[in-house]
Amino acid sequence: ACGVGVVANVTGLRSHDIVEKGLEVLMNLGHRGASGCDPETGDGAGILLQMPYQFFSRECAKLGFALPGPGKYGTGSVFLPRDAAQRRLCEERFQGVIEEEGLCLLGWRDVPVDESRIGITARQVAPHIRQPFIGGGPGIAGEAHLERKLYVVRKRVERAVNESGIPDAGDFYVPSLFTNRIVYKGLLKAEQLQGFYPDLADPAVVTSFALVHSR
């Protein structure tokens, strides 16, 4: 009973207009979503876009680290415990797995969010959301190899955290970890996604397709 939609430029031209149209489609799928006893907390909504390389290069430069060219790094929005000490433990395990797989952690970015845009129930369980930027090591032979490594990292770190004994390990989740696409999602109603994630309103976030989902 979920709602799914796609907007794409068939020529492959990237633009912010595709992001806006994808969000419009998502809002038109709002009737496919569900809410609980808190009518402002949705059962989930999200959007998948092409990696906005220029946007991330700009944002990471503000944080003091540079990104390599497209296809030479990966990232994803990672859900982490809100407790700072537990969050650090999760991040340490993440970095450990990255290094064991022959990759390098370039840096972390806190994903801006506006929790005033979501329901009370969603705010009570909202994770801390960060994006790790992961570069390939000397043994990585191209983007396809890096993509496979990121899949292994994602699976290994989820298992490592789940088996770590960290009290809030259940709050750790990796929605995506890719070289060429990014996911923004959450316990949201369709119309709350853009307000919750200010990144989606930035003109520098461009894509040639947008895949949206409302459950």
Side-chain angles (χ1 to χ4, degrees):
C2 298
V4 178
V6 178
V7 178
N9 184 303
V10 295
T11 68
L13 180 67
R14 297 183 183 220
S15 70
H16 187 66
D17 182 61
I18 295 294
V19 180
E20 294 177 342
K21 283 183 168 61
L23 293 168
E24 182 180 356
V25 169
L26 180 63
M27 286 187 284
N28 289 336
L29 291 171
H31 65 287
R32 306 299 296 180
S35 299
C37 58
D38 173 10
E40 294 305 312
T41 294
D43 199 31
I47 187 169
L48 182 147
L49 309 166
Q50 284 178 301
M51 192 76 79
Y53 298 112
Q54 292 183 337
F55 170 76
F56 282 138
S57 292
R58 184 193 74 193
E59 294 302 305
C60 291
K62 294 177 183 177
L63 299 172
F65 63 94
L67 295 178
K72 296 183 179 179
Y73 72 90
T75 190
S77 296
V78 178
F79 294 176
L80 295 152
R82 294 186 75 108
D83 179 80
Q86 294 187 55
R87 186 162 65 246
R88 281 194 299 272
L89 291 174
C90 291
E91 291 170 356
E92 288 170 1
R93 281 163 173 76
F94 211 132
Q95 182 168 359
V97 171
I98 289 169
E99 293 172 353
E100 288 171 8
E101 291 297 329
L103 307 179
C104 61
L105 179 64
L106 303 172
W108 287 90
R109 173 180 182 252
D110 287 314
V111 180
V113 297
D114 183 355
E115 293 190 356
S116 70
R117 300 296 191 96
I118 61 178
I120 295 173
T121 303
R123 287 200 298 271
Q124 290 173 342
V125 298
H128 188 95
I129 307 173
R130 305 194 80 193
Q131 290 165 336
F133 291 85
I134 304 168
I140 301 301
E143 183 176 1
H145 189 189
L146 177 57
E147 187 82 355
R148 292 194 297 271
K149 281 288 189 179
L150 292 174
Y151 175 82
V152 173
V153 166
R154 178 183 174 187
K155 293 301 181 181
R156 284 194 57 196
V157 73
E158 286 180 338
R159 180 172 181 176
V161 172
N162 286 335
E163 296 176 350
S164 66
I166 295 172
D168 293 337
D171 293 340
F172 179 84
Y173 175 55
V174 185
S176 67
L177 194 63
F178 301 117
T179 62
N180 56 14
R181 54 206 186 278
I182 187 76
V183 170
Y184 286 87
K185 63 181 287 186
L187 195 63
L188 309 167
K189 297 174 68 176
E191 64 270 20
Q192 294 172 338
L193 186 67
Q194 182 174 11
F196 182 69
Y197 285 115
D199 281 2
L200 297 176
D202 195 303
V205 175
V206 296
T207 185
S208 67
F209 72 86
L211 172 64
V212 297
H213 174 236
S214 175
R215 58 174 281 176

